[in-house]
PDB file of all heavy atoms in Angstrom:
ATOM      1  N   ALA A1239      -1.200   7.304 -20.322  1.00  0.00           N
ATOM      2  CA  ALA A1239      -1.431   6.628 -19.045  1.00  0.00           C
ATOM      3  C   ALA A1239      -0.441   7.108 -17.988  1.00  0.00           C
ATOM      4  O   ALA A1239      -0.808   7.313 -16.834  1.00  0.00           O
ATOM      5  CB  ALA A1239      -1.316   5.117 -19.222  1.00  0.00           C
ATOM      6  N   LEU A1240       0.808   7.317 -18.383  1.00  0.00           N
ATOM      7  CA  LEU A1240       1.812   7.824 -17.447  1.00  0.00           C
ATOM      8  C   LEU A1240       1.465   9.235 -16.983  1.00  0.00           C
ATOM      9  O   LEU A1240       1.595   9.566 -15.795  1.00  0.00           O
ATOM     10  CB  LEU A1240       3.198   7.809 -18.102  1.00  0.00           C
ATOM     11  CG  LEU A1240       3.877   6.452 -18.240  1.00  0.00           C
ATOM     12  CD1 LEU A1240       5.190   6.593 -18.990  1.00  0.00           C
ATOM     13  CD2 LEU A1240       4.109   5.824 -16.871  1.00  0.00           C
ATOM     14  N   PHE A1241       1.015  10.060 -17.904  1.00  0.00           N
ATOM     15  CA  PHE A1241       0.615  11.424 -17.563  1.00  0.00           C
ATOM     16  C   PHE A1241      -0.545  11.395 -16.567  1.00  0.00           C
ATOM     17  O   PHE A1241      -0.546  12.129 -15.565  1.00  0.00           O
ATOM     18  CB  PHE A1241       0.211  12.189 -18.822  1.00  0.00           C
ATOM     19  CG  PHE A1241      -0.349  13.554 -18.548  1.00  0.00           C
ATOM     20  CD1 PHE A1241       0.479  14.631 -18.286  1.00  0.00           C
ATOM     21  CD2 PHE A1241      -1.730  13.756 -18.535  1.00  0.00           C
ATOM     22  CE1 PHE A1241      -0.043  15.886 -18.019  1.00  0.00           C
ATOM     23  CE2 PHE A1241      -2.260  15.005 -18.267  1.00  0.00           C
ATOM     24  CZ  PHE A1241      -1.411  16.074 -18.016  1.00  0.00           C
ATOM     25  N   MET A1242      -1.515  10.548 -16.828  1.00  0.00           N
ATOM     26  CA  MET A1242      -2.663  10.430 -15.934  1.00  0.00           C
ATOM     27  C   MET A1242      -2.256   9.892 -14.572  1.00  0.00           C
ATOM     28  O   MET A1242      -2.759  10.339 -13.529  1.00  0.00           O
ATOM     29  CB  MET A1242      -3.727   9.518 -16.560  1.00  0.00           C
ATOM     30  CG  MET A1242      -4.394  10.072 -17.803  1.00  0.00           C
ATOM     31  SD  MET A1242      -5.414  11.529 -17.421  1.00  0.00           S
ATOM     32  CE  MET A1242      -6.051  11.913 -19.056  1.00  0.00           C
ATOM     33  N   LEU A1243      -1.332   8.929 -14.567  1.00  0.00           N
ATOM     34  CA  LEU A1243      -0.876   8.341 -13.310  1.00  0.00           C
ATOM     35  C   LEU A1243      -0.232   9.384 -12.411  1.00  0.00           C
ATOM     36  O   LEU A1243      -0.601   9.518 -11.236  1.00  0.00           O
ATOM     37  CB  LEU A1243       0.121   7.211 -13.594  1.00  0.00           C
ATOM     38  CG  LEU A1243       0.813   6.601 -12.367  1.00  0.00           C
ATOM     39  CD1 LEU A1243      -0.202   5.920 -11.463  1.00  0.00           C
ATOM     40  CD2 LEU A1243       1.906   5.619 -12.806  1.00  0.00           C
ATOM     41  N   PHE A1244       0.710  10.118 -12.958  1.00  0.00           N
ATOM     42  CA  PHE A1244       1.409  11.104 -12.134  1.00  0.00           C
ATOM     43  C   PHE A1244       0.529  12.312 -11.818  1.00  0.00           C
ATOM     44  O   PHE A1244       0.660  12.921 -10.758  1.00  0.00           O
ATOM     45  CB  PHE A1244       2.703  11.531 -12.817  1.00  0.00           C
ATOM     46  CG  PHE A1244       3.691  10.406 -12.975  1.00  0.00           C
ATOM     47  CD1 PHE A1244       4.305  10.159 -14.191  1.00  0.00           C
ATOM     48  CD2 PHE A1244       3.977   9.569 -11.909  1.00  0.00           C
ATOM     49  CE1 PHE A1244       5.204   9.117 -14.332  1.00  0.00           C
ATOM     50  CE2 PHE A1244       4.870   8.527 -12.034  1.00  0.00           C
ATOM     51  CZ  PHE A1244       5.488   8.293 -13.257  1.00  0.00           C
ATOM     52  N   GLY A1245      -0.380  12.627 -12.736  1.00  0.00           N
ATOM     53  CA  GLY A1245      -1.330  13.695 -12.453  1.00  0.00           C
ATOM     54  C   GLY A1245      -2.251  13.303 -11.310  1.00  0.00           C
ATOM     55  O   GLY A1245      -2.502  14.090 -10.398  1.00  0.00           O
ATOM     56  N   PHE A1246      -2.749  12.067 -11.348  1.00  0.00           N
ATOM     57  CA  PHE A1246      -3.637  11.584 -10.298  1.00  0.00           C
ATOM     58  C   PHE A1246      -2.930  11.531  -8.946  1.00  0.00           C
ATOM     59  O   PHE A1246      -3.467  11.985  -7.930  1.00  0.00           O
ATOM     60  CB  PHE A1246      -4.167  10.197 -10.655  1.00  0.00           C
ATOM     61  CG  PHE A1246      -4.806   9.484  -9.496  1.00  0.00           C
ATOM     62  CD1 PHE A1246      -6.037   9.885  -8.999  1.00  0.00           C
ATOM     63  CD2 PHE A1246      -4.156   8.419  -8.889  1.00  0.00           C
ATOM     64  CE1 PHE A1246      -6.615   9.250  -7.910  1.00  0.00           C
ATOM     65  CE2 PHE A1246      -4.727   7.767  -7.801  1.00  0.00           C
ATOM     66  CZ  PHE A1246      -5.958   8.187  -7.316  1.00  0.00           C
ATOM     67  N   THR A1247      -1.730  10.964  -8.907  1.00  0.00           N
ATOM     68  CA  THR A1247      -1.038  10.826  -7.628  1.00  0.00           C
ATOM     69  C   THR A1247      -0.651  12.196  -7.058  1.00  0.00           C
ATOM     70  O   THR A1247      -0.704  12.402  -5.838  1.00  0.00           O
ATOM     71  CB  THR A1247       0.215   9.942  -7.781  1.00  0.00           C
ATOM     72  OG1 THR A1247       1.033  10.424  -8.856  1.00  0.00           O
ATOM     73  CG2 THR A1247      -0.183   8.508  -8.087  1.00  0.00           C
ATOM     74  N   PHE A1248      -0.294  13.127  -7.930  1.00  0.00           N
ATOM     75  CA  PHE A1248       0.046  14.475  -7.449  1.00  0.00           C
ATOM     76  C   PHE A1248      -1.188  15.163  -6.853  1.00  0.00           C
ATOM     77  O   PHE A1248      -1.119  15.747  -5.763  1.00  0.00           O
ATOM     78  CB  PHE A1248       0.607  15.315  -8.600  1.00  0.00           C
ATOM     79  CG  PHE A1248       0.952  16.724  -8.200  1.00  0.00           C
ATOM     80  CD1 PHE A1248       2.129  17.010  -7.522  1.00  0.00           C
ATOM     81  CD2 PHE A1248       0.098  17.775  -8.507  1.00  0.00           C
ATOM     82  CE1 PHE A1248       2.449  18.308  -7.137  1.00  0.00           C
ATOM     83  CE2 PHE A1248       0.404  19.076  -8.132  1.00  0.00           C
ATOM     84  CZ  PHE A1248       1.587  19.341  -7.449  1.00  0.00           C
ATOM     85  N   VAL A1249      -2.311  15.079  -7.555  1.00  0.00           N
ATOM     86  CA  VAL A1249      -3.537  15.715  -7.074  1.00  0.00           C
ATOM     87  C   VAL A1249      -4.046  15.024  -5.808  1.00  0.00           C
ATOM     88  O   VAL A1249      -4.568  15.687  -4.901  1.00  0.00           O
ATOM     89  CB  VAL A1249      -4.622  15.712  -8.171  1.00  0.00           C
ATOM     90  CG1 VAL A1249      -5.950  16.232  -7.624  1.00  0.00           C
ATOM     91  CG2 VAL A1249      -4.181  16.572  -9.354  1.00  0.00           C
ATOM     92  N   SER A1250      -3.871  13.705  -5.710  1.00  0.00           N
ATOM     93  CA  SER A1250      -4.287  13.017  -4.495  1.00  0.00           C
ATOM     94  C   SER A1250      -3.471  13.516  -3.305  1.00  0.00           C
ATOM     95  O   SER A1250      -3.978  13.588  -2.177  1.00  0.00           O
ATOM     96  CB  SER A1250      -4.126  11.497  -4.649  1.00  0.00           C
ATOM     97  OG  SER A1250      -2.758  11.117  -4.672  1.00  0.00           O
ATOM     98  N   GLY A1251      -2.219  13.865  -3.553  1.00  0.00           N
ATOM     99  CA  GLY A1251      -1.399  14.462  -2.504  1.00  0.00           C
ATOM    100  C   GLY A1251      -1.905  15.842  -2.128  1.00  0.00           C
ATOM    101  O   GLY A1251      -1.940  16.201  -0.947  1.00  0.00           O
ATOM    102  N   LEU A1252      -2.298  16.612  -3.129  1.00  0.00           N
ATOM    103  CA  LEU A1252      -2.839  17.949  -2.856  1.00  0.00           C
ATOM    104  C   LEU A1252      -4.078  17.872  -1.960  1.00  0.00           C
ATOM    105  O   LEU A1252      -4.216  18.647  -1.010  1.00  0.00           O
ATOM    106  CB  LEU A1252      -3.208  18.640  -4.170  1.00  0.00           C
ATOM    107  CG  LEU A1252      -2.081  19.244  -5.009  1.00  0.00           C
ATOM    108  CD1 LEU A1252      -2.652  19.831  -6.298  1.00  0.00           C
ATOM    109  CD2 LEU A1252      -1.333  20.326  -4.236  1.00  0.00           C
ATOM    110  N   THR A1253      -4.983  16.938  -2.267  1.00  0.00           N
ATOM    111  CA  THR A1253      -6.213  16.832  -1.487  1.00  0.00           C
ATOM    112  C   THR A1253      -5.940  16.337  -0.067  1.00  0.00           C
ATOM    113  O   THR A1253      -6.762  16.537   0.837  1.00  0.00           O
ATOM    114  CB  THR A1253      -7.218  15.878  -2.160  1.00  0.00           C
ATOM    115  OG1 THR A1253      -6.623  14.585  -2.324  1.00  0.00           O
ATOM    116  CG2 THR A1253      -7.636  16.407  -3.520  1.00  0.00           C
ATOM    117  N   LEU A1254      -4.795  15.687   0.124  1.00  0.00           N
ATOM    118  CA  LEU A1254      -4.416  15.244   1.462  1.00  0.00           C
ATOM    119  C   LEU A1254      -3.830  16.393   2.288  1.00  0.00           C
ATOM    120  O   LEU A1254      -3.786  16.316   3.521  1.00  0.00           O
ATOM    121  CB  LEU A1254      -3.390  14.110   1.353  1.00  0.00           C
ATOM    122  CG  LEU A1254      -3.013  13.360   2.635  1.00  0.00           C
ATOM    123  CD1 LEU A1254      -4.241  12.693   3.250  1.00  0.00           C
ATOM    124  CD2 LEU A1254      -1.941  12.314   2.325  1.00  0.00           C
TER     125      LEU A1254
END
Side-chain angles (χ1 to χ4, degrees):
L1240 285 176
F1241 174 80
M1242 293 293 181
L1243 173 64
F1244 296 131
F1246 166 72
T1247 52
F1248 179 79
V1249 174
S1250 70
L1252 282 178
T1253 58
L1254 189 60

